[in-house]
Short mmCIF file of all heavy atoms in Angstrom, two decimals:
data_model
loop_
_atom_site.label_atom_id
_atom_site.label_comp_id
_atom_site.label_asym_id
_atom_site.label_seq_id
_atom_site.Cartn_x
_atom_site.Cartn_y
_atom_site.Cartn_z
N LEU V 84 45.11 -136.52 -133.61
CA LEU V 84 44.56 -135.20 -133.27
C LEU V 84 44.59 -134.99 -131.77
O LEU V 84 44.74 -133.84 -131.30
CB LEU V 84 43.13 -135.10 -133.81
CG LEU V 84 42.44 -133.75 -133.66
CD1 LEU V 84 43.25 -132.65 -134.32
CD2 LEU V 84 41.04 -133.83 -134.24
N ALA V 85 44.45 -136.05 -130.99
CA ALA V 85 44.42 -135.89 -129.52
C ALA V 85 45.75 -135.35 -129.01
O ALA V 85 45.79 -134.56 -128.07
CB ALA V 85 44.10 -137.23 -128.87
N LYS V 86 46.87 -135.76 -129.61
CA LYS V 86 48.16 -135.25 -129.15
C LYS V 86 48.31 -133.76 -129.50
O LYS V 86 48.84 -132.97 -128.71
CB LYS V 86 49.29 -136.04 -129.80
CG LYS V 86 49.46 -137.42 -129.19
CD LYS V 86 50.76 -138.06 -129.67
CE LYS V 86 50.98 -139.40 -128.93
NZ LYS V 86 52.28 -140.02 -129.33
N ILE V 87 47.80 -133.36 -130.67
CA ILE V 87 47.84 -131.95 -131.03
C ILE V 87 46.97 -131.13 -130.08
O ILE V 87 47.37 -130.04 -129.60
CB ILE V 87 47.40 -131.76 -132.48
CG1 ILE V 87 48.32 -132.55 -133.43
CG2 ILE V 87 47.36 -130.29 -132.87
CD1 ILE V 87 47.89 -132.53 -134.86
N GLU V 88 45.79 -131.65 -129.80
CA GLU V 88 44.92 -130.98 -128.85
C GLU V 88 45.53 -130.90 -127.45
O GLU V 88 45.40 -129.89 -126.75
CB GLU V 88 43.56 -131.68 -128.80
CG GLU V 88 42.78 -131.62 -130.10
CD GLU V 88 41.57 -132.52 -130.11
OE1 GLU V 88 41.50 -133.42 -129.25
OE2 GLU V 88 40.68 -132.33 -130.97
N GLY V 89 46.23 -131.98 -127.03
CA GLY V 89 46.86 -131.96 -125.73
C GLY V 89 47.95 -130.91 -125.65
O GLY V 89 48.09 -130.22 -124.62
N ASN V 90 48.72 -130.74 -126.71
CA ASN V 90 49.75 -129.70 -126.73
C ASN V 90 49.14 -128.30 -126.65
O ASN V 90 49.66 -127.40 -125.96
CB ASN V 90 50.62 -129.81 -127.97
CG ASN V 90 51.44 -131.11 -127.98
OD1 ASN V 90 51.78 -131.65 -126.93
ND2 ASN V 90 51.73 -131.62 -129.16
N LEU V 91 48.04 -128.11 -127.34
CA LEU V 91 47.35 -126.82 -127.29
C LEU V 91 46.80 -126.55 -125.90
O LEU V 91 46.93 -125.43 -125.38
CB LEU V 91 46.23 -126.79 -128.33
CG LEU V 91 45.37 -125.51 -128.37
CD1 LEU V 91 46.24 -124.29 -128.66
CD2 LEU V 91 44.26 -125.64 -129.40
N VAL V 92 46.25 -127.57 -125.27
CA VAL V 92 45.71 -127.41 -123.91
C VAL V 92 46.84 -127.08 -122.94
O VAL V 92 46.70 -126.19 -122.07
CB VAL V 92 44.97 -128.69 -123.50
CG1 VAL V 92 44.67 -128.67 -121.99
CG2 VAL V 92 43.68 -128.83 -124.27
N ASP V 93 47.99 -127.75 -123.07
CA ASP V 93 49.11 -127.48 -122.17
C ASP V 93 49.65 -126.07 -122.33
O ASP V 93 50.12 -125.44 -121.37
CB ASP V 93 50.22 -128.48 -122.41
CG ASP V 93 49.87 -129.88 -121.92
OD1 ASP V 93 48.96 -129.99 -121.07
OD2 ASP V 93 50.47 -130.85 -122.41
N SER V 94 49.59 -125.56 -123.54
CA SER V 94 50.07 -124.20 -123.77
C SER V 94 49.10 -123.15 -123.21
O SER V 94 49.52 -122.09 -122.74
CB SER V 94 50.29 -123.95 -125.26
OG SER V 94 49.06 -124.04 -125.98
N LEU V 95 47.80 -123.44 -123.24
CA LEU V 95 46.81 -122.49 -122.72
C LEU V 95 46.63 -122.60 -121.22
O LEU V 95 46.61 -121.60 -120.52
CB LEU V 95 45.46 -122.72 -123.42
CG LEU V 95 45.40 -122.39 -124.93
CD1 LEU V 95 44.05 -122.79 -125.49
CD2 LEU V 95 45.66 -120.92 -125.17
N PHE V 96 46.49 -123.85 -120.75
CA PHE V 96 46.20 -124.07 -119.33
C PHE V 96 47.19 -125.07 -118.76
O PHE V 96 46.87 -126.24 -118.54
CB PHE V 96 44.76 -124.58 -119.14
CG PHE V 96 43.71 -123.63 -119.62
CD1 PHE V 96 43.17 -123.76 -120.88
CD2 PHE V 96 43.26 -122.62 -118.80
CE1 PHE V 96 42.20 -122.87 -121.33
CE2 PHE V 96 42.29 -121.73 -119.21
CZ PHE V 96 41.76 -121.85 -120.50
#
Side-chain angles (χ1 to χ4, degrees):
L84 185 58
K86 286 191 174 182
I87 300 175
E88 294 171 343
N90 294 332
L91 178 59
V92 168
D93 289 339
S94 64
L95 293 175
F96 299 95

